[in-house]
Amino acid sequence: MKKIQMVDLKGQYEGIKNEVNSSLTEVLESSAFINGPYVHSFQKELEDYLEVKHVIPCANGTDALQICMMGLGLQPGDEVITADFTFAATVEVIALLNLTPVLVDVEPDTFNIDPEAIEKAITPKTKAIVPVHLFGQCANMDAIMALAEKHNLFVIEDNAQAIGASYSFADGTKKKAGTMGHVASTSFFPSKNLGCYGDGGAIFTNDDDLAHTIRGMVNHGMYRRYYHDVVGVNSRLDSIQAAVLKAKLPKLDDYNKKRREAAQKYNKAFQGQPNIVIPKMVRNCEGICDDCDCHVFHQYTLRILNEKRDNLVQHLNDNGVPCGVYYPVPLHLQKAYANNRYDEADFPVTNQLIKEVVSLPMHTELDDEQIAFITNLVIDFVNNQ
Ligand SMILES: *Cc1c(COP(=O)(O)O)cnc(C)c1O
């Protein structure tokens, strides 16, 4: 059996090696390292793929989130509601801009922000909601967009984990993750579903004015060379990363399909196991329908109900199976973000999930033998040890 990896970037590279190598050589020979032709053409191709008017590339997903908030003109003291159960980048940039982060609980079955908890947290100071499409599946955007409209709030989608996923609204319309709110951010960190070979990120919006504002902000607030109209930042996608992304973008749907196929195989093996909860797919298709893109499985995350999660992690590692606990600490209990405005009784789900979740190896190169080895190991351990 091939050695099992959490993410197999080497195996994926083998499949695109010729194309990537020749475009990288082209970049090196052109010496157009910043704002070269690859950055521009990748941007256009991503706009077409997402069916969104504007993609603004930038240096990483954390910058992308920060620039979204700057672009919307959020001011110190404005409250921004986001999920307690996510990667810290989301809350970090809120705090860095002297906005007030307001963390709320998530749903136990999808791990995504709970719209009822959002509504409870809205105050006259609330200006924006940041739903994170966690682990590859969109948050409940029907409810979130309705709340935003009712309370006149901006919606900033953190789409670092769900690029290529779609969301089906109750009225039947279907949209790509990152094109439903006022603005969205994504990350091209190597292990993301569309990853480059270093750092990279992008902002998406259908709003022409906001796109114009943001395009200047990523480049020192310049709209005309050496005239600085607003305070900006330096956040660029470089040509080398854009060349890698341009080679990978046409394969993104296929990569995501491979992830879904691996998830279906995991699901089949774990179905009916009393102490294992498989990830819920919002459309209840359980990954069985062929063309379903409601979940792109950035992570395949189980809940282990019989308090054996920590021992299971150890057991998997002892047997050469890498795994991850995303995330082990709720953000409202992190030293940097603890605040006496929070009441433990408001976070029953996150407080439980951090003890139960485990993410199994998930990437485009998993084979049946590896999946059988992993699932047998998990099932044996959870039932017998
Ligand atoms: C990865 C990630 C980010 C940050 O992206 P970087 O490119 O690493 O800065 C933000 N939010 C979420 C949910 C992520 O998973």
Side-chain angles (χ1 to χ4, degrees):
M1 188 174 66
K2 268 196 313 182
K3 185 171 182 288
I4 298 174
Q5 312 215 45
M6 195 63 187
V7 180
D8 185 358
L9 295 174
K10 181 91 194 314
Q12 195 185 55
Y13 170 61
E14 295 301 331
I16 50 175
K17 193 169 185 165
N18 290 343
E19 197 179 342
V20 168
N21 288 10
S22 73
S23 23
L24 288 185
T25 306
E26 202 182 309
V27 173
L28 298 182
E29 285 176 356
S30 75
S31 303
F33 297 119
I34 300 287
N35 279 334
Y38 275 108
V39 177
H40 194 67
S41 58
F42 168 66
Q43 173 203 318
K44 290 286 170 217
E45 283 161 29
L46 189 56
E47 284 168 355
D48 290 345
Y49 173 82
L50 293 170
E51 297 177 42
V52 72
K53 278 173 91 176
H54 305 280
V55 165
I56 300 126
C58 66
N60 58 67
T62 309
D63 275 8
L65 270 167
Q66 175 177 336
I67 295 159
C68 287
M69 292 174 200
M70 290 167 63
L72 291 171
L74 300 185
Q75 295 298 319
D78 288 349
E79 292 179 2
V80 179
I81 299 175
T82 193
D84 190 34
F85 189 65
T86 176
F87 181 55
T90 325
V91 65
E92 178 178 61
V93 299
I94 300 172
L96 271 175
L97 291 172
N98 287 320
L99 311 173
T100 305
V102 178
L103 297 163
V104 304
D105 212 6
V106 296
E107 300 171 335
D109 49 1
T110 65
F111 311 114
N112 273 324
I113 194 165
D114 178 354
E116 277 178 31
I118 297 176
E119 183 148 40
K120 232 180 110 186
I122 293 173
T123 75
K125 288 186 179 169
T126 308
K127 288 285 153 53
I129 306 169
V130 185
V132 181
H133 303 318
L134 204 71
F135 301 154
Q137 180 167 246
C138 291
N140 181 346
M141 293 303 286
D142 277 289
I144 291 166
M145 295 313 292
L147 278 175
E149 197 163 325
K150 181 170 159 200
H151 297 276
N152 197 22
L153 307 174
F154 293 120
V155 174
I156 304 164
E157 299 173 70
D158 179 345
N159 194 29
Q161 300 191 4
I163 195 158
S166 291
Y167 179 84
S168 297
F169 284 89
D171 70 3
T173 54
K174 198 170 160 180
K175 285 193 176 175
K176 286 263 194 256
T179 67
M180 297 174 276
H182 298 89
V183 62
S185 61
T186 201
S187 164
F188 304 125
F189 185 78
S191 63
K192 304 284 159 128
N193 290 40
L194 179 61
C196 56
Y197 294 166
D199 275 306
I203 298 151
F204 317 145
T205 185
N206 283 311
D207 180 328
D208 297 338
D209 293 336
L210 182 60
H212 173 76
T213 303
I214 286 176
R215 273 202 192 93
M217 273 179 174
V218 298
N219 190 24
H220 304 290
M222 279 196 291
Y223 298 87
R224 218 171 113 202
R225 208 156 196 187
Y226 302 121
Y227 289 78
H228 303 272
D229 296 357
V230 295
V231 177
V233 293
N234 169 17
S235 189
R236 295 182 283 235
L237 182 71
D238 64 69
S239 303
I240 288 184
Q241 304 312 333
V244 173
L245 292 165
K246 191 176 147 81
K248 280 195 176 188
L249 179 60
K251 305 210 159 39
L252 178 60
D253 284 343
D254 190 46
Y255 289 158
N256 284 339
K257 186 160 177 263
K258 285 193 179 142
R259 288 172 175 271
R260 269 198 303 281
E261 283 165 1
Q264 280 179 31
K265 289 173 191 165
Y266 277 140
N267 280 349
K268 280 212 179 96
F270 295 130
Q271 203 99 48
Q273 290 292 328
N275 291 311
I276 300 176
V277 182
I278 62 173
K280 181 185 165 79
M281 297 179 75
V282 285
R283 297 179 68 209
N284 286 321
C285 52
E286 276 151 17
I288 311 297
C289 52
D290 283 342
D291 292 323
C292 183
D293 51 6
C294 65
H295 203 318
V296 294
F297 289 97
H298 175 61
Q299 298 294 347
Y300 180 86
T301 304
L302 295 174
R303 290 172 59 195
I304 305 297
L305 299 185
N306 56 358
E307 295 181 3
K308 287 188 179 167
R309 195 273 315 269
D310 289 338
N311 291 337
L312 172 65
V313 168
Q314 187 62 48
H315 183 67
L316 289 171
N317 289 335
D318 290 347
N319 285 277
V321 175
C323 60
V325 172
Y326 311 117
Y327 296 92
V329 182
L331 290 177
H332 80 276
L333 294 178
Q334 296 280 5
K335 266 194 212 159
Y337 305 113
N339 190 302
N340 57 16
R341 74 183 288 149
Y342 299 127
D343 176 350
E344 280 313 300
D346 288 331
F347 301 96
V349 179
T350 311
N351 286 340
Q352 188 68 23
L353 288 178
I354 52 138
K355 296 183 223 151
E356 295 176 346
V357 290
V358 59
S359 299
L360 299 182
M362 173 50 73
H363 52 80
T364 55
E365 316 299 315
L366 280 169
D367 64 35
D368 288 356
E369 191 188 6
Q370 292 175 316
I371 290 177
F373 183 79
I374 298 165
T375 54
N376 287 334
L377 210 58
V378 172
I379 292 169
D380 273 359
F381 186 86
V382 172
N383 291 330
N384 302 319
Q385 303 278 321

